[in-house]
Amino acid sequence: VMTFVGPPEEMVEAAFRAIAKAAELIDLDQHVGEHPRIGASDVVPFVPIRGVSMQECVALARRLGERVGRELQIPVYLYEEAATRPERVNLENIRRGQYEALKQEIAAHSEREPDFGPRRVGPAGATVIGARQPLVAFNIYLTSDDVSIADKIAKAVRNSSGGLRFVKALGLSVEGRAQVSMNLTNFHKTPLARVVEMVRREAERYGVGIQHSELVGLIPQDALVEAARWYLQLDQFEPEQILEQRLAAAQAANPAGEAGGDSFLEALAAGTPAPGGGSAAAYAGAAGAALVAMVARLTIGKKKYAAVEAQMQAVLTRAEALRAILQEAVALDAAAFEAVMAAYRLPKDTPEQQAGRSRAIETTMLAAADAPLKVAGMAVEVMELASQVIALGNLNAISDGASGAAMARAALAGSGLNVRINVNSLENPQSSEALVAALESLEQRATELEAAIRQELQARAKLVLA
């Protein structure tokens, strides 16, 4: 199970690449296991978290499904909110008979016809793609190896056989222990604690108990908070009493207090070695990406620029992703430098300590050189996006696009200096040469982009540039 979070366009691309890689590596004709499946990439749900609607997730699911069917020739079935047939809303209906049955039935039975892709399956099987609310995948292990007990408990708990609403369950044998494997499809209406207690009561009928439980993938914080409220009997509890939530609310009300705001500039001016030039370079790159995003937004929705709206949407998505990563890099660069300082403080009294210290310095110094190199690569990408908004975007904001390019160029210069100073401390010349060669390639690309941006500015804005 993999869970990844990000902007919609990037999620579609990431999911497509994951499906393609799984199809390359996994042969279902050779695969056996306890859990039902019909494909190497068995199920791919889009889940709205923030700033995106369920309908948008449905559109993303259908777009991904069409591409997987067309380019990878993998049959695709749409499920949950994206389902095209009522009987395909529930995943278990699509998985009926698993890969082995689907292989025999897909061409012969009309109800098995996929929504996208061919009516045949290869060794990668089929993929189920859809959109749904957050799901909690939760397993309970029993103090028994008798899987028939897990089967009986699963039957009592699951909704389809008269149990709890919004619970899907089956009994499995996992590493010699009976397991009740469950999916909670709406933890607000059927809370986690209620499920655990019902499993506990049913287990007692058969003289067994709960050995331990596990999460598969991620869980919404509210699900755990509700479980804590129930078990601790915190009847007067309010979410604002959680320290981290109160801090997040305070930071949202005062963005300047976050890293990258006024406090970052204060830290940068302090008499400490970190944060330093590498963090400042990442901050400049993030500012450049923000300006590019601004120009893209000022272009999208304007009738005059309707012909380039799709390109501006793509630019906006990538610019915002880069801005987020570069903001994180502000802190990561400082952390990389602090790791180097920690390595230099390691003891060196014995030959063994000296050898360990040397290895630690080399490892952390390599990471400290790699961190600004990543910033340099993103800075050049920001320049490429800036060149697009300068060439195609809203003419009234063209100088903002150029300012974004200038900020990105400054980010490249600052991060480049940090790469070069850090590689001087590396013992391995091959590592040093590879890092410097990668940096020089980025600098050459930046020079080319600067020339192209200058030409566009002179052509579109009639600017006289020195």
Side-chain angles (χ1 to χ4, degrees), residues 235-246:
D235 295 335
Q236 308 304 317
F237 173 81
E238 295 295 335
E240 291 74 20
Q241 291 179 267
I242 298 175
L243 173 62
E244 289 81 2
Q245 289 202 10
R246 183 66 68 87

Side-chain angles (χ1 to χ4, degrees), residues 322-343:
L322 287 169
R323 178 166 71 95
I325 300 170
L326 284 162
Q327 281 182 285
E328 292 176 359
V330 172
L332 292 176
D333 186 89
F337 182 79
E338 288 166 356
V340 172
M341 294 297 97

Side-chain angles (χ1 to χ4, degrees), residues 3 6 27 37 78 155 167 233 256 321 346 364 384 405 441 445 448 454 465:
T3 304
D27 181 351
R37 85 284 184 262
L78 298 173
K155 183 177 180 181
V167 174
Q233 296 181 244
L346 289 173
T364 56
E384 290 173 340
S441 176
R445 176 58 181 152
E448 295 168 358
R454 183 180 296 271
L465 302 175

Side-chain angles (χ1 to χ4, degrees), residues 29-87:
D29 289 323
Q30 307 300 320
H31 174 266
V32 293
E34 289 288 339
H35 204 284
R37 85 284 184 262
I38 62 169
S41 297
D42 187 62
V43 56
V44 182
F46 286 87
V47 180
I49 299 298
R50 186 176 62 219
V52 62
S53 69
M54 179 60 75
Q55 282 308 113
E56 289 173 295
C57 286
V58 169
L60 295 173
R62 291 177 177 171
R63 200 166 84 224
L64 175 64
E66 188 280 330
R67 186 181 175 192
V68 169
R70 172 171 44 84
E71 295 186 27
L72 302 180
Q73 289 296 291
I74 292 174
V76 173
Y77 296 89
L78 298 173
Y79 88 117
E80 287 275 359
E81 298 289 339
T84 57
R85 306 182 190 181
E87 65 271 19

Side-chain angles (χ1 to χ4, degrees), residues 281 285 322 326 374-384 405 407-413 415 449:
L322 287 169
L326 284 162
K374 286 185 169 67
V375 170
M378 288 185 284
V380 172
E381 192 172 352
V382 171
M383 290 184 70
E384 290 173 340
M407 295 296 291
R409 188 66 179 87
L412 174 61
S415 56
L449 286 167

Side-chain angles (χ1 to χ4, degrees), residues 255-269 275:
E258 297 178 355
D262 292 344
S263 66
F264 169 67
L265 297 179
E266 291 294 332
L268 200 61

